[in-house]
Amino acid sequence: GACVRSASADHIALILDRVVRGIASFHSFDRSQLYQFCLFVRLSRVPAPAQNSPASLLRRAYVRGSEVTPSKLQANVSAVLSQLGWTHDYEFVTDEGFSIDLAQPAFKRCLEVDGPHHYLRDYRTGRFVHDGATRLKTHLLKLLGWTVARLSFFDLERLDSDHDRRQYLTA
């Protein structure tokens, strides 16, 4: 982030110019990653380069490459929150292409249900921490004005009963 924010518009333009020249040979995954870079540049208020950005082409690759596979945990959390009266959209997709687990778009509030694939183990402490993709998505959603809450399967796993889980989600 700091490197991008300290880059000049000319440097960003040079990078994007080289990207545009070779974009046809990029795989969809690579285009998806570049889209997130372009979005980060835009949201970080880096001065826009003078030339056209490849953002629309990259966004299509990002959306195509971001297959949504809701988990059983996510579906269960959604059902419980609906029963508790928390109305939300399930798997809401933002204009930027982000798929949000549970969202209240009118208020720009969302709940992301994080299963084990959202975590890495910190080798120094042994604790589980969010992976880079999860941290970047959270950061970008916040830059877009969303309030982001994250619900960890680790927290729900510790609870012994459905009653305890419902109480936890009520809090």
Side-chain angles (χ1 to χ4, degrees), residues 82-146:
S82 291
Q83 291 170 2
L84 294 171
W86 194 72
T87 56
H88 58 277
D89 291 354
Y90 188 74
E91 286 302 332
F92 176 79
V93 178
T94 69
D95 291 339
E96 295 77 19
F98 291 111
S99 175
I100 297 175
D101 296 345
L102 312 172
Q104 292 181 320
F107 305 105
K108 284 197 149 184
R109 289 190 295 231
C110 66
L111 176 63
E112 290 284 286
V113 181
D114 296 339
H117 66 280
H118 287 272
Y119 296 91
L120 301 171
R121 187 181 293 270
D122 183 326
Y123 74 93
R124 293 169 295 186
T125 65
R127 296 178 59 203
F128 286 98
V129 295
H130 282 114
D131 66 11
T134 301
R135 293 176 64 192
L136 178 60
K137 180 180 178 183
T138 300
H139 181 71
L140 292 174
L141 285 171
K142 287 180 178 180
L143 286 174
L144 289 166
W146 286 84

Side-chain angles (χ1 to χ4, degrees), residues 7-100:
S8 70
D10 292 337
H11 286 113
I12 299 295
L14 180 64
I15 291 168
L16 292 178
D17 179 58
R18 294 204 176 151
V19 166
V20 169
R21 287 183 199 182
I23 204 160
S25 65
F26 286 26
H27 294 284
S28 180
F29 177 79
D30 299 324
R31 291 179 188 179
S32 172
Q33 296 295 303
L34 285 168
Y35 171 70
Q36 290 181 72
F37 169 76
C38 289
L39 187 58
F40 178 78
V41 167
R42 182 174 63 87
L43 295 174
S44 297
R45 308 218 188 299
V46 173
Q51 65 202 68
N52 292 334
S53 167
S56 63
L57 174 62
L58 296 174
R59 182 188 182 282
R60 286 193 302 272
Y62 176 73
V63 171
R64 273 195 306 261
S66 302
E67 291 183 24
V68 176
T69 52
S71 68
K72 184 178 177 183
L73 173 63
Q74 182 180 324
N76 290 342
V77 168
S78 177
V80 169
L81 290 174
S82 291
Q83 291 170 2
L84 294 171
W86 194 72
T87 56
H88 58 277
D89 291 354
Y90 188 74
E91 286 302 332
F92 176 79
V93 178
T94 69
D95 291 339
E96 295 77 19
F98 291 111
S99 175
I100 297 175

